[in-house]
């Protein structure tokens, strides 16, 4: 028999972690919906061309894309992120602006798997299209910061930079090329190769010999236009007004090529060096146009769910919610009483679970413990005869008899009604 296991870089998320994921998504949903963002569900795969807009010299496009030809001969890719899909959706549906959306779901990148780096990883994120206002940049950043703090995270640092507009970026790329060319002999072979494709990417290198050269590299903000500089200053003062602390990082260019002007990244100082970036984003004012739409401003961020939960572990916050069920029915007669009572209880808006296969009362009580039930209802032959049940508040060591017709009122004393 084949030994079936998950493919490298993918995982099964089982309970209680799966409940923690849903709670995480729930906190994100309430944070961003309170600021007017609507939910969008983009498809998990698109024409490869949509994602080529992330930058033909980026690792995401050149090395990590899951692409294939489908049976109709289309060149398809599993989405490596969702910003490009949101912009494609904007071009396709032309919603009124400002268009503020949020999303949650898996993305796919063929990376070398390690802790905090997976081939299928979940992100939650927001995108806001059609607004150039610096207050929006600050709002987007503030929502990310608010979300981290709602999870209980404290050891988070925000880095911010401006990449200028597209003209500034090209000027800067030229300046960087000249600088790195002068020091080429000291760069690593990897960075020499990157330099030919995209000099900005060299700034991302964490390798020691490259770092020595990167430190002296010109900063992008020295070359940006006055307009971009003013926008950046307005973003910073809007952040100051909300008392959001940040570090300006001249070398922050991020791994995708669509960024213009404001870019930012959140790092967890509680995590090991390899996967400290737990979220990031910025403006991508040319992306809608590159996808065939009208010139449209855009900004957003995405944060890695898997990695942010690792940061939560490192700070011992946002534990998995406790498993809970209102009632556990223990039937030692023949199982039909549990069958009917569970149905009746669930129909009236309470949650109920039970054991199967007529296990011993001891085994059923153990299952009741594991279920997180508040109360157990025990039915033996005496109870059947007297049309009653034995009610045991879990963990109390007490129990008492309740007439069968009063059972729903009695359950209500211990529980809050769930959805009916
Ligand atoms: P990104 O920096 O590529 O940006 O990804 C955002 C976050 O996703 C990262 O900070 C990290 O937490 C998580 N992440 C990325 N790759 C992996 C991986 N292989 N395994 C686990 N987590 C990972 C974007 O994706 C942009 N779309 C963000 C954005 C939205 N910019 C503007 N709007």
């Amino acid at each position: 028999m084949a030994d079936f296991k998950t493919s490298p870089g993918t995982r099964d998320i089982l309970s209680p972690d799966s409940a923690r994921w849903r709670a995480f998504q729930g906190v994100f949903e309430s944070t961003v919906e309170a600021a007017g963002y609507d939910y969008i569900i983009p498809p998990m795969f698109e024409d490869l061309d949509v994602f080529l807009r992330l930058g033909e010299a980026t690792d995401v496009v050149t090395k990590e894309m899951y692409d294939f030809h489908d049976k109709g001969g289309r060149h398809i890719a599993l989405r490596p992120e969702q910003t490009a899909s949101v912009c494609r959706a904007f071009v396709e549906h032309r919603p009124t602006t400002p268009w503020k959306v949020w999303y949650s779901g898996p993305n796919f990148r063929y990376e070398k798997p390690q802790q905090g780096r997976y081939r299928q990883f979940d992100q939650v994120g927001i995108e806001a299209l059609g607004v150039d206002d610096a207050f929006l940049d600050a709002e987007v950043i503030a929502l990310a910061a608010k979300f981290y703090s709602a999870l209980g995270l404290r050891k988070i640092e925000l880095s911010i930079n401006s990449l200028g507009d597209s003209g500034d970026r090209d000027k800067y790329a030229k300046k960087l090329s000249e600088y790195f060319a002068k020091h080429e002999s000291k760069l690593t072979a990897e960075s020499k190769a990157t330099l030919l494709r995209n000099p900005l990417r060299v700034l991302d290198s964490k390798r020691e010999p490259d770092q020595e050269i990167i430190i002296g590299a010109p900063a992008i903000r020295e070359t940006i236009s006055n307009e971009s500089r003013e926008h950046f200053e307005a973003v910073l003062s809007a952040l100051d007004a909300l008392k959001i602390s940040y570090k300006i990082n001249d070398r922050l260019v991020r791994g995708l090529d669509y960024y213009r002007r404001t870019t930012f990244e959140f790092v967890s100082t509680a995590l090991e060096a390899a996967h400290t970036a737990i979220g990031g984003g910025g403006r991508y004012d040319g992306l809608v146009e590159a996808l065939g739409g009208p010139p449209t401003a855009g900004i957003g961020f995405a944060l890695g769910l898997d990695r942010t939960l690792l940061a939560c572990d490192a700070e011992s916050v946002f534990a998995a919610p406790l498993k809970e069920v209102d009632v556990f029915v223990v039937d030692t007669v023949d199982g039909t009483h549990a069958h009917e009572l569970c149905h009746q209880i669930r129909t009236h808006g309470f949650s109920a679970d039970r054991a199967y296969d007529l296990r011993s009362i001891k085994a059923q009580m153990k299952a009741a413990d594991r279920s997180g039930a508040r109360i157990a209802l025990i039915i033996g032959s005496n109870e059947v005869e007297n049309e009653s049940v034995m009610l045991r508040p879990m963990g109390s060591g007490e129990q008492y008899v309740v007439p069968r017709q009063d059972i729903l009122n009695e359950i209500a004393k211990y529980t809050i009604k769930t959805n009916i």
Side-chain angles (χ1 to χ4, degrees):
M1 264 296 258
D3 186 11
F4 291 116
K5 291 232 166 76
T6 50
S7 179
T10 69
R11 293 154 306 147
D12 296 312
I13 311 295
L14 306 180
S15 172
D17 294 332
S18 49
R20 196 182 187 207
W21 276 49
R22 290 215 303 189
F24 183 102
Q25 289 160 333
V27 175
F28 190 77
E29 173 179 343
S30 46
T31 306
V32 296
E33 291 212 341
Y37 289 78
D38 294 327
Y39 189 45
I40 180 172
I41 310 174
M44 288 209 209
F45 59 82
E46 302 243 9
D47 285 344
L48 173 72
D49 281 358
V50 171
F51 301 121
L52 294 184
R53 303 302 188 276
L54 305 182
E56 303 217 19
T58 61
D59 283 355
V60 171
V61 169
T62 56
K63 300 188 190 150
E64 297 166 3
M65 199 69 82
Y66 274 92
D67 61 317
F68 58 97
H69 287 92
D70 73 5
K71 291 184 172 61
R74 288 175 207 88
H75 200 167
I76 297 292
L78 302 185
R79 66 183 183 206
E81 56 107 62
Q82 297 174 60
T83 311
S85 297
V86 167
C87 290
R88 194 265 315 129
F90 180 82
V91 176
E92 194 168 330
H93 305 289
R94 300 292 166 101
T96 45
T97 56
W99 194 47
K100 304 208 298 186
V101 295
W102 72 274
Y103 49 79
S104 168
N107 308 283
F108 307 86
R109 297 185 193 176
Y110 192 78
E111 299 206 64
K112 196 164 171 232
Q114 52 180 286
Q115 205 197 27
R117 191 177 295 281
Y118 310 100
R119 290 183 174 166
Q120 177 178 330
F121 61 95
D122 262 55
Q123 284 181 341
V124 291
I126 60 174
E127 310 294 347
L129 284 113
V131 180
D132 198 39
D133 194 333
F135 282 120
L136 178 64
D137 302 41
E139 174 187 294
V140 163
I141 294 170
L143 282 173
K146 188 163 184 279
F147 173 64
Y148 289 130
S149 118
L151 294 177
L153 289 169
R154 297 284 168 268
K155 295 182 180 166
I156 303 287
E157 277 177 11
L158 164 64
S159 298
I160 186 165
N161 193 17
S162 174
L163 299 178
D165 55 37
S166 58
D168 298 338
R169 233 184 117 110
D170 295 346
K171 259 188 267 161
Y172 180 58
K174 198 157 163 260
K175 219 168 155 186
L176 260 190
S177 273
E178 285 162 13
Y179 170 81
F180 283 131
K182 260 194 262 158
H183 299 86
E184 200 173 340
S185 59
K186 294 193 192 124
L187 291 176
T188 59
E190 291 92 333
S191 285
K192 278 182 197 157
T194 311
L195 183 57
L196 292 177
R197 286 186 283 126
N198 185 346
L200 263 69
R201 292 268 73 74
V202 178
L203 296 178
D204 278 346
S205 166
K206 302 276 179 293
R207 290 173 286 266
E208 197 61 39
D210 296 331
Q211 276 296 319
E212 283 171 25
I213 307 298
I214 289 169
I215 277 178
I220 191 158
R221 276 177 310 99
E222 290 161 15
T223 49
I224 67 176
S225 64
N226 286 340
E227 221 182 326
S228 291
R229 197 183 311 278
E230 276 161 25
H231 183 90
F232 190 54
E233 276 157 17
V235 175
L236 298 184
S237 59
L239 288 174
D240 292 338
L242 302 182
K243 300 199 168 39
I244 292 179
S245 47
Y246 52 82
K247 266 198 215 149
I248 298 175
N249 177 353
D250 292 331
R251 315 266 176 255
L252 180 71
V253 288
R254 308 221 351 99
L256 303 162
D257 274 357
Y258 52 56
Y259 290 112
R260 305 275 177 269
R261 300 198 280 173
T262 314
T263 49
F264 56 90
E265 206 155 79
F266 288 93
V267 158
S268 162
T269 54
L271 288 177
E272 300 287 317
H275 49 77
T276 56
I278 57 170
R283 280 206 165 268
Y284 42 85
D285 295 341
L287 186 55
V288 168
E289 218 176 337
L291 287 161
T296 308
I299 182 166
F301 71 80
L303 43 99
L305 196 153
D306 319 65
R307 245 184 240 184
T308 308
L309 284 178
L310 286 175
C312 290
D313 290 341
E315 290 200 44
S316 304
V317 297
F318 201 69
L322 290 178
K323 198 172 169 186
E324 269 181 358
V325 59
D326 295 329
V327 181
F328 195 95
V329 181
V330 172
D331 177 345
T332 58
V333 184
D334 57 5
T336 55
H337 306 280
H339 184 61
E340 283 157 29
L341 197 52
C342 276
H343 184 72
Q344 186 195 4
I345 292 169
R346 290 172 192 153
T347 308
H348 284 82
F350 301 105
S351 55
D353 200 358
R354 56 164 296 189
Y356 302 93
D357 293 337
L358 209 59
R359 316 277 296 276
S360 69
I361 181 158
K362 204 169 152 209
Q364 293 197 45
M365 285 312 296
K366 259 197 190 157
D369 262 338
R370 273 198 306 271
S371 74
R374 292 179 195 174
I375 52 176
L377 298 181
I378 304 161
I379 308 171
S381 40
N382 276 348
E383 285 75 23
V384 173
E385 211 165 289
N386 305 331
E387 293 189 20
S388 65
V389 296
M390 188 68 81
L391 188 153
R392 187 182 293 185
M394 296 302 287
S396 73
E398 290 163 13
Q399 56 183 28
Y400 57 92
V401 176
V402 181
R404 184 75 183 250
Q405 79 261 20
D406 295 342
I407 195 62
L408 292 171
N409 288 337
E410 204 60 30
I411 293 171
K413 291 182 189 161
Y414 291 90
T415 59
I416 308 158
K417 269 199 180 195
T418 53
N419 292 336
I420 299 177

